[in-house]
Amino acid sequence: MCHRHDILKSNNKDLQQVEQQWDRRNFLTKTSLGLGALALGSLLNTEKAFGAMAGSDQKGTNLFNRNGLGLPHHLPKAKRIVYLFQSGGPSQLDMFDYKPKLRDMFGKDLPDSVRQGQRLTAMSAEQTTFPIAPSIMDFQQYGESRAWVSELMPHTAEVVDDLCFIKSMQTDAINHDPAITFLQTGSQLPGRPSIGAWLSYGLGSDNDNLPTFITLITKGMGGQPLYSRLWGNGFLPTEHQGVQFRSGKDPVLYLSDPKNYDGNDRRKMLDYLGKLNELQHDAYGDPEIMARMTQYEMAFRMQTSVPEVTDISDEPDYIFDMYGEDSRDPGTYAANCLMARKLLEKDVKFVQLYHQGWDQHIGCPGGVRNQCKLTDQANAALIKDLKQRGMLEDTLVIWGGEFGRTVYSQGQLTNENYGRDHHPKAFTMWMAGAGVKPGFTYGETDDFSYNVVKDPVHVHDFHATLMHLFGIDHERLTFKHQGRRYRLTDVHGHVVKDLLA
């Protein structure tokens, strides 16, 4: 039997190769310079273990040539980002883009010279008239920057000197799903990598025990649906996709061990699974095999790190007071803003918040007022909190939706009520921290907040500027897929240098 086995082994090169590999692995794991030592080096963070190099930050982390991609391309201003995405299209007219001349034009038809035959949604395309609906909100100027903010956002008004308003945003999409997809991935069509996935791919992680890219969604909000592809990896390796954290007992699905199953059991299972996947990878060379193991190992480490970082019970009362009473209720927008700060403190690179419900086709004044009550205090608190911790200087904060709203009323117009349809040609976003000009307003719209008349900023320009703040030349971070090299900005976009401090 032994002789027969030797003959079979000599005739089976694959089996012989596998046994040689196992011999090599066993040898390495039993030596002081083997995989055990390499694993320890990984836990200690090799970039720090071998000392700071030129181009390192104060923590000794090498800022250049992460992931072997030669990134970042230049010294970054931003180390981390929190994107407060307001899904549905907030009305710039009722919040930031003050247009006092409209008060004298109440109910008059929007001039054709202003509308210029622009595309309309199916919801207002059949209207025979487009009556102008001035905002019923009171506006005032605040701060040294004298920024205009409506009565709906008293807390945001307190931090305007930290904000950089872009009042000339433009997008190509007029309906929600393609518009949200466009802002999150750079394409109206599904399947492209999200912003967070691109940053994860290009810059890697600063935290070994939490994902590079985490998503939080306000609980209990209706509105346009949100799909996981918005924080997906597209055609990039799967370890770069965002991970959704939920409120409640299990923040990350399927992370907890089953009943009567402990960490030692899972560790043994992962070790054996890792060996099998290494054999599979050696046989087929598919990088997704090892990417999957990377995710399994991250999930194992997250069993300890996630409960710690998602526990906000140890926050002092003054922090809860600053974010608002809702911040004590996990899953609310305020609680998610507080959670975002904790994640950023743990060096999570990209935290994405989604808050639905900004789609006010009817009842716009009441709808926007309610949304601001849910979000205004927490937005301002996040800015203040990051600033008091010295984090705002290298944390990029972004607020905005997928498009704006029309100056004309959709549906019935009264002195106290109106609706607003989607408007992609002019809307407002703001940014703060990490190298953008504080207390600054960029771009202008016409007297109807319908067309940009100065310094337009397209979505591709916004993406290019975001990447620049992270030290990335948006034209050089590419990934080859199906024979073509893709990038976040496709073949468009330029850095808006006037936004940079």
Side-chain angles (χ1 to χ4, degrees):
M1 181 66 69
C2 292
H3 177 66
R4 182 184 178 194
H5 178 68
D6 290 341
I7 294 174
L8 287 172
K9 185 168 68 173
S10 64
N11 291 332
N12 191 331
K13 293 182 179 180
D14 291 336
L15 179 59
Q16 193 173 31
Q17 183 179 10
V18 167
E19 291 195 352
Q20 288 174 352
Q21 290 171 338
W22 276 108
D23 290 342
R24 184 164 62 251
R25 287 193 190 92
N26 289 333
F27 170 75
L28 288 171
T29 55
K30 293 176 182 177
T31 63
S32 61
L33 297 178
L35 294 179
L38 293 175
L40 177 61
S42 176
L43 291 173
L44 293 174
N45 190 337
T46 54
E47 291 177 336
K48 296 178 183 178
F50 291 104
M53 298 179 289
S56 300
D57 65 10
Q58 293 179 349
K59 295 181 180 180
T61 303
N62 181 22
L63 296 175
F64 293 90
N65 204 30
R66 293 259 182 98
N67 290 354
L69 296 175
L71 290 167
H73 299 122
H74 56 265
L75 196 63
K77 296 287 188 180
K79 288 183 61 178
R80 61 191 80 85
I81 176 176
V82 54
Y83 191 162
L84 310 172
F85 190 81
Q86 313 301 308
S87 175
S91 172
Q92 77 283 0
L93 281 154
D94 295 290
M95 299 166 72
F96 299 118
D97 204 13
Y98 182 43
K99 299 298 177 184
K101 293 182 180 180
L102 293 178
R103 295 288 175 91
D104 297 329
M105 302 186 69
F106 176 86
K108 294 182 180 179
D109 204 36
L110 181 66
D112 290 338
S113 60
V114 175
R115 194 158 65 85
Q116 299 175 1
Q118 293 177 24
R119 190 169 70 149
L120 304 175
T121 73
M123 292 165 284
S124 61
E126 299 302 319
Q127 289 187 198
T128 56
T129 62
F130 299 90
I132 293 173
S135 176
I136 63 173
M137 310 304 169
D138 289 331
F139 280 74
Q140 292 186 40
Q141 289 178 289
Y142 294 90
E144 293 182 7
S145 59
R146 310 307 294 155
W148 289 101
V149 180
S150 85
E151 61 182 289
L152 301 180
M153 311 192 83
H155 297 280
T156 299
E158 296 175 0
V159 297
V160 290
D161 287 339
D162 294 308
L163 306 184
C164 177
F165 290 98
I166 308 173
K167 293 189 175 180
S168 53
M169 286 295 303
Q170 295 181 321
T171 183
D172 296 341
I174 198 170
N175 291 313
H176 292 288
D177 187 72
I180 295 173
T181 304
F182 191 31
L183 256 168
Q184 299 300 294
T185 71
S187 172
Q188 296 185 51
L189 300 177
R192 298 284 184 88
S194 57
I195 303 170
W198 277 112
L199 289 177
S200 174
Y201 168 69
L203 298 176
S205 176
D206 296 324
N207 186 311
D208 292 330
N209 298 316
L210 288 168
T212 307
F213 178 20
I214 292 175
T215 294
L216 304 168
I217 301 175
T218 306
K219 69 178 182 181
M221 299 299 299
Q224 298 303 317
L226 299 172
Y227 304 101
S228 59
R229 57 177 168 77
L230 296 174
W231 51 92
N233 59 292
F235 44 69
L236 295 176
T238 53
E239 66 262 36
H240 302 299
Q241 67 182 346
V243 176
Q244 183 181 349
F245 277 27
R246 295 165 168 83
S247 60
K249 183 180 178 181
D250 294 311
V252 180
L253 297 181
Y254 314 116
L255 191 64
S256 302
D257 288 324
K259 189 177 181 180
N260 299 323
Y261 197 83
D262 61 27
N264 291 329
D265 297 325
R266 187 175 289 270
R267 181 68 267 166
K268 291 178 182 178
M269 182 272 290
L270 286 175
D271 288 341
Y272 284 120
L273 184 61
K275 292 175 182 178
L276 291 173
N277 274 304
E278 284 184 32
L279 289 172
Q280 189 82 348
H281 180 264
D282 291 346
Y284 295 100
D286 184 354
E288 282 296 308
I289 296 172
M290 301 314 294
R292 182 175 298 176
M293 279 310 303
T294 298
Q295 291 174 301
Y296 289 160
E297 292 291 344
M298 172 60 77
F300 180 72
R301 297 192 295 274
M302 285 167 60
Q303 287 187 309
T304 301
S305 61
V306 168
E308 176 190 355
V309 77
T310 55
D311 180 12
I312 60 174
S313 62
D314 59 346
E315 292 288 330
D317 287 340
Y318 82 89
I319 290 293
F320 288 117
D321 293 342
M322 183 166 64
Y323 281 87
E325 189 60 31
D326 281 354
S327 62
R328 298 179 184 272
D329 182 7
T332 60
Y333 183 79
N336 284 348
C337 283
L338 177 52
M339 179 64 63
R341 190 222 76 208
K342 291 195 67 173
L343 292 170
L344 294 168
E345 279 187 305
K346 296 292 185 180
D347 287 325
V348 174
K349 190 175 296 295
F350 196 117
V351 182
Q352 175 86 64
L353 270 65
Y354 287 95
H355 181 79
Q356 296 160 285
W358 289 95
D359 194 22
Q360 280 79 40
H361 289 275
I362 58 174
C364 184
V368 175
R369 190 180 301 276
N370 182 62
Q371 288 291 77
C372 290
K373 286 181 180 179
L374 294 173
T375 61
D376 173 44
Q377 184 172 353
N379 290 333
L382 182 59
I383 297 294
K384 295 175 183 177
D385 204 0
L386 291 171
K387 191 173 182 178
Q388 72 182 3
R389 295 168 193 273
M391 295 173 61
L392 188 59
E393 62 187 27
D394 55 9
T395 301
L396 180 63
V397 185
I398 297 172
W399 179 98
E402 65 267 37
F403 40 54
R405 314 301 296 194
T406 57
V407 66
Y408 63 79
S409 178
Q410 179 184 340
Q412 186 177 9
L413 171 64
T414 70
N415 289 328
E416 300 296 330
N417 201 10
Y418 44 83
R420 297 195 189 281
D421 203 356
H422 310 165
H423 188 58
K425 293 299 182 182
F427 61 106
T428 298
M429 295 179 66
W430 58 253
M431 306 166 73
V436 300
K437 287 181 180 177
F440 182 65
T441 296
Y442 184 80
E444 292 181 19
T445 58
D446 59 21
D447 291 336
F448 303 86
S449 192
Y450 206 83
N451 299 295
V452 172
V453 295
K454 182 181 178 182
D455 299 326
V457 179
H458 189 271
V459 168
H460 290 309
D461 303 327
F462 165 70
H463 287 158
T465 306
L466 186 160
M467 300 293 271
H468 177 85
L469 290 167
F470 276 89
I472 298 173
D473 180 343
H474 71 104
E475 295 184 350
R476 294 167 61 191
L477 178 57
T478 63
F479 188 88
K480 192 172 184 179
H481 173 65
Q482 294 183 343
R484 177 193 160 186
R485 295 196 177 277
Y486 288 86
R487 67 186 204 222
L488 174 62
T489 52
D490 196 40
V491 294
H492 308 283
H494 70 276
V495 176
V496 186
K497 294 184 179 180
D498 286 341
L499 298 176
L500 308 180

